[in-house]
mmCIF file of all heavy atoms in Angstrom:
data_model
loop_
_atom_site.group_PDB
_atom_site.id
_atom_site.type_symbol
_atom_site.label_atom_id
_atom_site.label_comp_id
_atom_site.label_asym_id
_atom_site.label_seq_id
_atom_site.Cartn_x
_atom_site.Cartn_y
_atom_site.Cartn_z
ATOM 1 N N ILE A 1 155.587 145.958 117.619
ATOM 2 C CA ILE A 1 155.519 144.963 118.691
ATOM 3 C C ILE A 1 154.167 144.260 118.659
ATOM 4 O O ILE A 1 154.043 143.045 118.767
ATOM 5 C CB ILE A 1 155.765 145.620 120.083
ATOM 6 C CG1 ILE A 1 157.206 146.091 120.189
ATOM 7 C CG2 ILE A 1 155.433 144.649 121.212
ATOM 8 C CD1 ILE A 1 157.488 146.961 121.379
ATOM 9 N N ILE A 2 153.100 145.059 118.488
ATOM 10 C CA ILE A 2 151.749 144.503 118.439
ATOM 11 C C ILE A 2 151.595 143.587 117.235
ATOM 12 O O ILE A 2 151.040 142.486 117.318
ATOM 13 C CB ILE A 2 150.721 145.662 118.390
ATOM 14 C CG1 ILE A 2 150.711 146.419 119.722
ATOM 15 C CG2 ILE A 2 149.340 145.151 118.078
ATOM 16 C CD1 ILE A 2 149.946 147.718 119.699
ATOM 17 N N GLU A 3 152.125 143.988 116.124
ATOM 18 C CA GLU A 3 152.011 143.190 114.885
ATOM 19 C C GLU A 3 152.857 141.905 115.034
ATOM 20 O O GLU A 3 152.334 140.837 114.689
ATOM 21 C CB GLU A 3 152.549 144.012 113.694
ATOM 22 C CG GLU A 3 152.390 143.271 112.382
ATOM 23 C CD GLU A 3 152.872 144.096 111.177
ATOM 24 O OE1 GLU A 3 153.795 144.978 111.391
ATOM 25 O OE2 GLU A 3 152.374 143.887 110.106
ATOM 26 N N ASP A 4 154.064 142.009 115.552
ATOM 27 C CA ASP A 4 154.916 140.845 115.665
ATOM 28 C C ASP A 4 154.377 139.803 116.655
ATOM 29 O O ASP A 4 154.703 138.608 116.550
ATOM 30 C CB ASP A 4 156.325 141.275 116.120
ATOM 31 C CG ASP A 4 157.059 142.084 115.014
ATOM 32 O OD1 ASP A 4 156.586 142.044 113.857
ATOM 33 O OD2 ASP A 4 158.054 142.740 115.346
ATOM 34 N N ALA A 5 153.611 140.256 117.652
ATOM 35 C CA ALA A 5 153.044 139.341 118.621
ATOM 36 C C ALA A 5 151.859 138.547 118.073
ATOM 37 O O ALA A 5 151.307 137.651 118.765
ATOM 38 C CB ALA A 5 152.597 140.119 119.853
ATOM 39 N N GLY A 6 151.455 138.864 116.843
ATOM 40 C CA GLY A 6 150.287 138.205 116.267
ATOM 41 C C GLY A 6 148.983 138.717 116.810
ATOM 42 O O GLY A 6 147.931 138.043 116.720
ATOM 43 N N SER A 7 149.000 139.913 117.401
ATOM 44 C CA SER A 7 147.818 140.423 118.110
ATOM 45 C C SER A 7 146.708 140.863 117.164
ATOM 46 O O SER A 7 145.535 140.808 117.523
ATOM 47 C CB SER A 7 148.243 141.598 119.021
ATOM 48 O OG SER A 7 149.210 141.151 119.974
ATOM 49 N N ILE A 8 147.066 141.296 115.963
ATOM 50 C CA ILE A 8 146.021 141.655 115.003
ATOM 51 C C ILE A 8 145.232 140.421 114.609
ATOM 52 O O ILE A 8 143.993 140.438 114.593
ATOM 53 C CB ILE A 8 146.675 142.328 113.778
ATOM 54 C CG1 ILE A 8 147.374 143.615 114.134
ATOM 55 C CG2 ILE A 8 145.604 142.566 112.709
ATOM 56 C CD1 ILE A 8 148.141 144.285 113.013
ATOM 57 N N GLU A 9 145.931 139.327 114.340
ATOM 58 C CA GLU A 9 145.224 138.098 113.973
ATOM 59 C C GLU A 9 144.398 137.550 115.127
ATOM 60 O O GLU A 9 143.271 137.113 114.948
ATOM 61 C CB GLU A 9 146.248 137.041 113.503
ATOM 62 C CG GLU A 9 146.976 137.383 112.181
ATOM 63 C CD GLU A 9 148.104 138.391 112.390
ATOM 64 O OE1 GLU A 9 148.411 138.759 113.537
ATOM 65 O OE2 GLU A 9 148.647 138.840 111.349
ATOM 66 N N TYR A 10 144.967 137.657 116.327
ATOM 67 C CA TYR A 10 144.252 137.200 117.530
ATOM 68 C C TYR A 10 142.950 137.978 117.673
ATOM 69 O O TYR A 10 141.889 137.385 117.899
ATOM 70 C CB TYR A 10 145.117 137.356 118.726
ATOM 71 C CG TYR A 10 144.395 137.294 120.059
ATOM 72 C CD1 TYR A 10 144.051 136.027 120.600
ATOM 73 C CD2 TYR A 10 144.051 138.433 120.763
ATOM 74 C CE1 TYR A 10 143.354 135.981 121.816
ATOM 75 C CE2 TYR A 10 143.368 138.382 121.959
ATOM 76 C CZ TYR A 10 143.019 137.139 122.483
ATOM 77 O OH TYR A 10 142.336 137.096 123.674
ATOM 78 N N ALA A 11 143.031 139.302 117.566
ATOM 79 C CA ALA A 11 141.843 140.150 117.784
ATOM 80 C C ALA A 11 140.807 139.898 116.681
ATOM 81 O O ALA A 11 139.620 139.808 116.976
ATOM 82 C CB ALA A 11 142.216 141.619 117.829
ATOM 83 N N ARG A 12 141.282 139.759 115.440
ATOM 84 C CA ARG A 12 140.330 139.500 114.353
ATOM 85 C C ARG A 12 139.631 138.184 114.533
ATOM 86 O O ARG A 12 138.427 138.074 114.301
ATOM 87 C CB ARG A 12 141.066 139.562 113.005
ATOM 88 C CG ARG A 12 140.141 139.297 111.814
ATOM 89 C CD ARG A 12 140.792 139.493 110.485
ATOM 90 N NE ARG A 12 140.918 140.895 110.194
ATOM 91 C CZ ARG A 12 142.127 141.538 110.172
ATOM 92 N NH1 ARG A 12 143.238 140.865 110.455
ATOM 93 N NH2 ARG A 12 142.176 142.811 109.900
ATOM 94 N N GLU A 13 140.358 137.145 114.936
ATOM 95 C CA GLU A 13 139.741 135.850 115.161
ATOM 96 C C GLU A 13 138.679 135.917 116.283
ATOM 97 O O GLU A 13 137.605 135.324 116.138
ATOM 98 C CB GLU A 13 140.813 134.839 115.545
ATOM 99 C CG GLU A 13 140.311 133.407 115.735
ATOM 100 C CD GLU A 13 139.657 132.846 114.444
ATOM 101 O OE1 GLU A 13 140.121 133.193 113.341
ATOM 102 O OE2 GLU A 13 138.698 132.075 114.537
ATOM 103 N N HIS A 14 139.004 136.684 117.300
ATOM 104 C CA HIS A 14 138.048 136.840 118.393
ATOM 105 C C HIS A 14 136.777 137.576 117.902
ATOM 106 O O HIS A 14 135.657 137.206 118.272
ATOM 107 C CB HIS A 14 138.655 137.580 119.583
ATOM 108 C CG HIS A 14 137.949 137.309 120.856
ATOM 109 N ND1 HIS A 14 138.275 136.299 121.726
ATOM 110 C CD2 HIS A 14 136.871 137.910 121.446
ATOM 111 C CE1 HIS A 14 137.462 136.296 122.760
ATOM 112 N NE2 HIS A 14 136.601 137.256 122.612
ATOM 113 N N ALA A 15 136.990 138.629 117.105
ATOM 114 C CA ALA A 15 135.828 139.379 116.554
ATOM 115 C C ALA A 15 134.968 138.458 115.668
ATOM 116 O O ALA A 15 133.762 138.553 115.707
ATOM 117 C CB ALA A 15 136.321 140.574 115.791
ATOM 118 N N LEU A 16 135.641 137.635 114.880
ATOM 119 C CA LEU A 16 134.879 136.706 114.022
ATOM 120 C C LEU A 16 134.080 135.666 114.838
ATOM 121 O O LEU A 16 132.968 135.314 114.456
ATOM 122 C CB LEU A 16 135.832 135.969 113.110
ATOM 123 C CG LEU A 16 136.448 136.828 112.000
ATOM 124 C CD1 LEU A 16 137.593 136.074 111.275
ATOM 125 C CD2 LEU A 16 135.393 137.272 110.988
ATOM 126 N N GLU A 17 134.634 135.248 115.989
ATOM 127 C CA GLU A 17 133.908 134.340 116.865
ATOM 128 C C GLU A 17 132.669 135.010 117.412
ATOM 129 O O GLU A 17 131.580 134.424 117.527
ATOM 130 C CB GLU A 17 134.821 133.869 117.994
ATOM 131 C CG GLU A 17 135.893 132.903 117.509
ATOM 132 C CD GLU A 17 136.901 132.553 118.642
ATOM 133 O OE1 GLU A 17 136.632 133.017 119.779
ATOM 134 O OE2 GLU A 17 137.870 131.857 118.399
ATOM 135 N N LEU A 18 132.819 136.273 117.834
ATOM 136 C CA LEU A 18 131.663 137.040 118.366
ATOM 137 C C LEU A 18 130.619 137.206 117.280
ATOM 138 O O LEU A 18 129.418 137.080 117.576
ATOM 139 C CB LEU A 18 132.145 138.396 118.872
ATOM 140 C CG LEU A 18 133.005 138.414 120.134
ATOM 141 C CD1 LEU A 18 133.561 139.810 120.380
ATOM 142 C CD2 LEU A 18 132.206 137.958 121.362
ATOM 143 N N ALA A 19 131.049 137.484 116.050
ATOM 144 C CA ALA A 19 130.118 137.622 114.943
ATOM 145 C C ALA A 19 129.348 136.341 114.711
ATOM 146 O O ALA A 19 128.142 136.364 114.426
ATOM 147 C CB ALA A 19 130.863 138.096 113.710
ATOM 148 N N ALA A 20 130.039 135.216 114.818
ATOM 149 C CA ALA A 20 129.404 133.944 114.638
ATOM 150 C C ALA A 20 128.354 133.667 115.726
ATOM 151 O O ALA A 20 127.241 133.193 115.463
ATOM 152 C CB ALA A 20 130.409 132.815 114.600
ATOM 153 N N ASP A 21 128.681 134.030 116.967
ATOM 154 C CA ASP A 21 127.757 133.891 118.065
ATOM 155 C C ASP A 21 126.551 134.844 117.855
ATOM 156 O O ASP A 21 125.399 134.463 118.205
ATOM 157 C CB ASP A 21 128.434 134.232 119.419
ATOM 158 C CG ASP A 21 129.456 133.198 119.804
ATOM 159 O OD1 ASP A 21 129.403 132.064 119.296
ATOM 160 O OD2 ASP A 21 130.328 133.499 120.669
ATOM 161 N N ALA A 22 126.799 136.011 117.316
ATOM 162 C CA ALA A 22 125.708 136.914 117.026
ATOM 163 C C ALA A 22 124.729 136.343 115.962
ATOM 164 O O ALA A 22 123.529 136.436 116.152
ATOM 165 C CB ALA A 22 126.245 138.281 116.542
ATOM 166 N N ARG A 23 125.295 135.715 114.963
ATOM 167 C CA ARG A 23 124.429 135.077 113.974
ATOM 168 C C ARG A 23 123.601 133.957 114.563
ATOM 169 O O ARG A 23 122.442 133.711 114.166
ATOM 170 C CB ARG A 23 125.272 134.587 112.765
ATOM 171 C CG ARG A 23 125.872 135.733 111.941
ATOM 172 C CD ARG A 23 126.460 135.250 110.634
ATOM 173 N NE ARG A 23 127.676 134.469 110.857
ATOM 174 C CZ ARG A 23 128.893 134.981 110.953
ATOM 175 N NH1 ARG A 23 129.036 136.310 110.902
ATOM 176 N NH2 ARG A 23 129.937 134.218 111.149
ATOM 177 N N ALA A 24 124.174 133.241 115.505
ATOM 178 C CA ALA A 24 123.412 132.184 116.193
ATOM 179 C C ALA A 24 122.213 132.753 116.942
ATOM 180 O O ALA A 24 121.126 132.154 116.983
ATOM 181 C CB ALA A 24 124.313 131.407 117.131
ATOM 182 N N ALA A 25 122.397 133.959 117.496
ATOM 183 C CA ALA A 25 121.285 134.584 118.195
ATOM 184 C C ALA A 25 120.206 134.987 117.219
ATOM 185 O O ALA A 25 119.010 134.921 117.551
ATOM 186 C CB ALA A 25 121.769 135.830 118.982
ATOM 187 N N VAL A 26 120.569 135.392 116.014
ATOM 188 C CA VAL A 26 119.584 135.753 114.994
ATOM 189 C C VAL A 26 118.672 134.571 114.674
ATOM 190 O O VAL A 26 117.478 134.682 114.435
ATOM 191 C CB VAL A 26 120.268 136.225 113.706
ATOM 192 C CG1 VAL A 26 119.289 136.411 112.556
ATOM 193 C CG2 VAL A 26 121.019 137.521 113.929
ATOM 194 N N ASP A 27 119.267 133.353 114.683
ATOM 195 C CA ASP A 27 118.506 132.169 114.379
ATOM 196 C C ASP A 27 117.360 131.906 115.344
ATOM 197 O O ASP A 27 116.423 131.177 115.052
ATOM 198 C CB ASP A 27 119.416 130.963 114.303
ATOM 199 C CG ASP A 27 120.426 131.025 113.182
ATOM 200 O OD1 ASP A 27 120.166 131.746 112.205
ATOM 201 O OD2 ASP A 27 121.497 130.405 113.260
ATOM 202 N N GLU A 28 117.452 132.479 116.529
ATOM 203 C CA GLU A 28 116.392 132.350 117.533
ATOM 204 C C GLU A 28 115.233 133.299 117.304
ATOM 205 O O GLU A 28 114.212 133.196 117.983
ATOM 206 C CB GLU A 28 116.987 132.551 118.930
ATOM 207 C CG GLU A 28 118.121 131.606 119.346
ATOM 208 C CD GLU A 28 118.686 131.927 120.712
ATOM 209 O OE1 GLU A 28 117.877 132.439 121.556
ATOM 210 O OE2 GLU A 28 119.836 131.689 120.964
ATOM 211 N N LEU A 29 115.349 134.204 116.356
ATOM 212 C CA LEU A 29 114.363 135.259 116.213
ATOM 213 C C LEU A 29 113.242 134.916 115.237
ATOM 214 O O LEU A 29 112.218 135.574 115.166
ATOM 215 C CB LEU A 29 115.044 136.525 115.737
ATOM 216 C CG LEU A 29 116.014 137.211 116.748
ATOM 217 C CD1 LEU A 29 116.712 138.382 116.067
ATOM 218 C CD2 LEU A 29 115.193 137.680 117.951
ATOM 219 N N ASP A 30 113.446 133.869 114.417
ATOM 220 C CA ASP A 30 112.448 133.465 113.406
ATOM 221 C C ASP A 30 112.014 134.614 112.517
ATOM 222 O O ASP A 30 110.801 134.867 112.274
ATOM 223 C CB ASP A 30 111.193 132.903 114.114
ATOM 224 C CG ASP A 30 111.501 131.674 114.958
ATOM 225 O OD1 ASP A 30 112.358 130.870 114.529
ATOM 226 O OD2 ASP A 30 110.940 131.508 116.056
ATOM 227 N N LEU A 31 112.969 135.351 111.992
ATOM 228 C CA LEU A 31 112.697 136.465 111.105
ATOM 229 C C LEU A 31 112.641 135.983 109.670
ATOM 230 O O LEU A 31 113.055 134.855 109.339
ATOM 231 C CB LEU A 31 113.807 137.508 111.246
ATOM 232 C CG LEU A 31 113.953 138.153 112.625
ATOM 233 C CD1 LEU A 31 115.230 138.979 112.685
ATOM 234 C CD2 LEU A 31 112.759 139.033 112.950
ATOM 235 N N ASP A 32 112.134 136.823 108.770
ATOM 236 C CA ASP A 32 112.106 136.483 107.354
ATOM 237 C C ASP A 32 113.511 136.376 106.816
ATOM 238 O O ASP A 32 114.475 136.917 107.387
ATOM 239 C CB ASP A 32 111.284 137.516 106.581
ATOM 240 C CG ASP A 32 111.932 138.897 106.625
ATOM 241 O OD1 ASP A 32 111.574 139.634 107.564
ATOM 242 O OD2 ASP A 32 112.710 139.223 105.754
ATOM 243 N N ALA A 33 113.638 135.730 105.652
ATOM 244 C CA ALA A 33 114.983 135.453 105.093
ATOM 245 C C ALA A 33 115.742 136.747 104.776
ATOM 246 O O ALA A 33 116.954 136.816 104.982
ATOM 247 C CB ALA A 33 114.822 134.593 103.858
ATOM 248 N N GLU A 34 115.038 137.770 104.288
ATOM 249 C CA GLU A 34 115.736 139.008 103.906
ATOM 250 C C GLU A 34 116.294 139.691 105.137
ATOM 251 O O GLU A 34 117.461 140.131 105.105
ATOM 252 C CB GLU A 34 114.779 139.946 103.198
ATOM 253 C CG GLU A 34 115.459 141.242 102.745
ATOM 254 C CD GLU A 34 114.477 142.181 101.991
ATOM 255 O OE1 GLU A 34 113.305 141.782 101.782
ATOM 256 O OE2 GLU A 34 114.921 143.279 101.637
ATOM 257 N N THR A 35 115.576 139.799 106.217
ATOM 258 C CA THR A 35 116.065 140.442 107.431
ATOM 259 C C THR A 35 117.193 139.630 108.045
ATOM 260 O O THR A 35 118.217 140.181 108.479
ATOM 261 C CB THR A 35 114.904 140.592 108.467
ATOM 262 O OG1 THR A 35 113.858 141.362 107.899
ATOM 263 C CG2 THR A 35 115.421 141.282 109.743
#
């Protein structure tokens, strides 16, 4: 039921959006390129 509802894709997309927002926060830190 969970798979057929497309819930795995929905959750993964949401996690990817959060990860993108997290990377935007990193850009505010002015860290070196390696970190």
